[in-house]
Amino acid sequence: MCGAGSRRIHSRYVRQVADLPCAGKEVRLRVITRRFVCEVPHCRRRIFAERFGDRVVADRSRRTARLEYIVHHLGLALGGRPAASFAKRLMLRVSNDTLLRVVRRRTCGRIEPLVVAGIDDWAFRRNHRYGTIVCDLERRRIVALLPDREIATVRAWLCEHPEIRIVSRDRGGGYGEAAAKALPDAIQVADRWHLMENASAAFLEAVRRSMREIRAALGATRINPELLTCAERLQYEGYLRREQTNAAIIALVRDGVSLKEIVRRTAHSRKLVRQVSRGESTDIFRTRQSTLDAHLPFLDAQWAEGCRNSAELWRRLQVQGYQGSLRVVSEWMTRRRRAERATNQQLQKVPSARTISRLMTTARDHLSKAETITIAAIEACIPTLVEARKLVERFQAMLRQRLVADLDSWIAIASTSLIASFANGIIKDKAAVCAAITESWSNGQTEGQITKLKLVKRQMYGRAKIDLLQARLIGAA
Ligand SMILES: [Zn+2]
């Protein structure tokens, strides 16, 4: 303690230290340790033992430093129990508890300052419990795991790190608010991937809202129940019931009856009544998609050639790569015959909103002939939908090409279009969206770290406490 040297030996004792195995045998070192007497008069430590340096054997350690290093990394890579059984094969005698203890103990606090932070949430258990992950985007490392995603928790953590200059976060409001309160001077960056995703989702929503017009455009507004499959007929009846309900509610609204009274009279939920009265009910009926859909042109052609034998048709379809059963084909044939008798026109299928949205955007260059006709009909009749698509494309181009100057004019047009609610979201979060266009930081690598986190979490069969999870993830970096 005083730093003076001493040559006066007091006694010796033997320490047992485990070392790496050698030639298939466990190795145990018997280290004879000397105790010395301190001769400085006022020193508080009268007797002291010699040290061997942390790089050989740490003080009070039962293992040499090189063994401890391997034990630590086994624990990081495999967790407690699997690492213990693997260690046994390597002839290292450590228990699972020891492994985890070493992992926990050796997690060192970070030294470098955190300047660019990426924040996202991750699921302990999906839809049940979520935590927060904070990454150092400059060094590509996990910095901390927080036990939940509450604003207060994140805010408190951020307050302890005033050195953060840039916060990259997803588009949910929570992290933005926490960052704004804790670090008012930091730049917030909305995540580009989420922005892209939200833009696509906004277009899908626009298609959903336009489904009535789309049906009208495709001339499939009248449904002949005769031509539906059994399952479709059940759904169609439900659809008719819902339409009846909606008509009744709308009639009451028109008569000026209050919402509360309508709820009482019709015995429908308040939510439903409110939706219908605001015209938000976007219920449409469409026929189901079946395994035959892709082969309909071929079937039509065969039918036109005069093939009326369903078994024969099924065999020809199988050559074309069809994997469904004969029953599906013969049911199609029955309906086809009925259709011939009924209207002499083929069964018209309206694709789902999701399919239409895909056909109008990403798959636009690879449409089949039938799809091209469908999409052309939709585009000709519903110009607002085409406008919405152009706006979404322009927004995504803006993100890709870093055209921040375009944002204001884009917002001006978009806020009156079919994707107005998306545009309003952008207005509310405008600073962060601008930063997403100009800054190079993105949360992409945070998503990657979450993948790693999930792997480690599952290795421990979901029993890991957050401190151990954190120790394993940060220690491994
Ligand atoms: Zn001393």
Side-chain angles (χ1 to χ4, degrees), residues 255-272:
D255 293 346
V257 184
S258 71
L259 281 192
K260 202 171 173 184
E261 180 64 18
I262 299 177
V263 170
R264 206 182 59 74
R265 277 197 217 168
T266 58
H268 290 299
S269 76
R270 188 177 165 74
K271 190 180 162 205
L272 178 89

Side-chain angles (χ1 to χ4, degrees), residues 1-4 38-40 43-45 48:
M1 286 180 82
C2 61
C38 180
E39 290 177 308
V40 177
C43 182
R44 284 197 284 133
R45 177 68 41 87
F48 62 93

Side-chain angles (χ1 to χ4, degrees), residues 79 85 137 157 159 176 201 260 309 329 363 375 415 425 429 434 449:
S85 60
L137 296 186
W157 192 89
C159 279
K260 202 171 173 184
N309 182 335
V329 179
I375 297 304
S415 49
D429 205 13
C434 280
Q449 300 284 18

Side-chain angles (χ1 to χ4, degrees), residues 283-333:
D283 196 12
I284 50 127
F285 175 76
R286 66 180 180 81
T287 48
R288 291 183 160 203
Q289 289 185 327
S290 85
T291 47
L292 273 180
D293 283 357
H295 300 280
L296 282 179
F298 175 76
L299 284 174
D300 281 333
Q302 295 291 318
W303 180 270
E305 280 175 26
C307 178
R308 295 291 187 273
N309 182 335
S310 49
E312 174 57 29
L313 195 54
W314 178 56
R315 274 191 292 277
R316 288 186 197 170
L317 263 181
Q318 277 183 322
V319 177
Q320 301 274 317
Y322 176 69
Q323 292 178 335
S325 67
L326 168 64
R327 195 176 53 81
V328 181
V329 179
S330 45
E331 276 175 9
W332 176 83
M333 198 151 241

Side-chain angles (χ1 to χ4, degrees), residues 38-293:
C38 180
E39 290 177 308
V40 177
H42 300 297
C43 182
R44 284 197 284 133
R45 177 68 41 87
R46 289 276 294 113
I47 297 169
F48 62 93
E50 63 183 321
R51 305 278 165 96
F52 301 99
D54 284 349
R55 295 179 61 185
V56 185
V57 184
D59 302 339
R60 294 188 187 83
S61 173
R62 313 269 317 264
R63 283 175 288 274
T64 56
R66 55 189 183 185
L67 177 60
E68 177 100 350
Y69 180 80
I70 286 180
V71 167
H72 177 215
H73 280 269
L74 268 180
L76 285 180
L78 299 175
R81 226 169 275 268
S85 60
F86 190 53
K88 205 170 154 195
R89 293 186 175 222
L90 293 174
M91 317 205 70
L92 311 173
R93 192 165 288 180
V94 279
S95 70
N96 50 356
D97 289 335
T98 308
L99 278 154
L100 295 185
R101 210 180 314 119
V102 171
V103 167
R104 281 201 171 101
R105 187 177 62 219
R106 293 183 71 102
T107 307
C108 46
R110 47 180 299 110
I111 316 123
E112 316 98 334
L114 174 64
V115 179
V116 185
I119 298 185
D120 206 344
D121 56 1
W122 55 278
F124 270 105
R125 266 181 68 204
R126 208 170 180 170
N127 294 332
H128 283 269
R129 236 183 104 207
Y130 285 84
T132 298
I133 184 173
V134 187
C135 291
D136 182 336
L137 296 186
E138 283 180 303
R139 295 178 187 83
R140 301 184 160 264
R141 276 188 180 189
I142 298 176
V143 179
L145 300 180
L146 308 181
D148 55 44
R149 53 179 179 184
E150 302 298 323
I151 291 176
T153 315
V154 179
R155 185 182 168 186
W157 192 89
L158 288 173
C159 279
E160 290 167 17
H161 296 78
E163 70 274 15
I164 297 176
R165 297 262 61 88
I166 296 173
V167 180
S168 171
R169 48 143 177 104
D170 65 1
R171 297 256 299 126
Y175 292 137
E177 195 181 327
K181 280 179 180 157
L183 308 161
D185 299 331
I187 300 169
Q188 293 192 30
V189 183
D191 182 37
R192 269 199 293 280
W193 184 83
H194 279 102
L195 279 173
M196 289 281 196
E197 177 72 14
N198 294 351
S200 306
F203 182 67
L204 175 60
E205 188 55 36
V207 173
R208 282 220 175 101
R209 283 172 181 274
S210 316
M211 272 319 264
R212 271 172 201 282
E213 289 93 323
I214 288 174
R215 284 198 73 82
L218 296 181
T221 39
R222 260 187 314 209
I223 288 155
N224 183 354
E226 275 286 292
L227 304 181
L228 301 177
T229 63
C230 288
E232 282 173 347
R233 211 169 306 156
L234 280 177
Q235 280 185 341
Y236 184 61
E237 279 159 17
Y239 166 75
L240 288 181
R241 248 195 327 273
R242 286 194 298 277
E243 285 292 278
Q244 238 169 6
T245 312
N246 293 359
I249 292 173
I250 287 170
L252 285 173
V253 171
R254 220 172 277 143
D255 293 346
V257 184
S258 71
L259 281 192
K260 202 171 173 184
E261 180 64 18
I262 299 177
V263 170
R264 206 182 59 74
R265 277 197 217 168
T266 58
H268 290 299
S269 76
R270 188 177 165 74
K271 190 180 162 205
L272 178 89
V273 172
R274 198 170 47 213
Q275 256 181 4
V276 174
S277 65
R278 284 182 186 169
E280 283 172 7
S281 160
T282 53
D283 196 12
I284 50 127
F285 175 76
R286 66 180 180 81
T287 48
R288 291 183 160 203
Q289 289 185 327
S290 85
T291 47
L292 273 180
D293 283 357

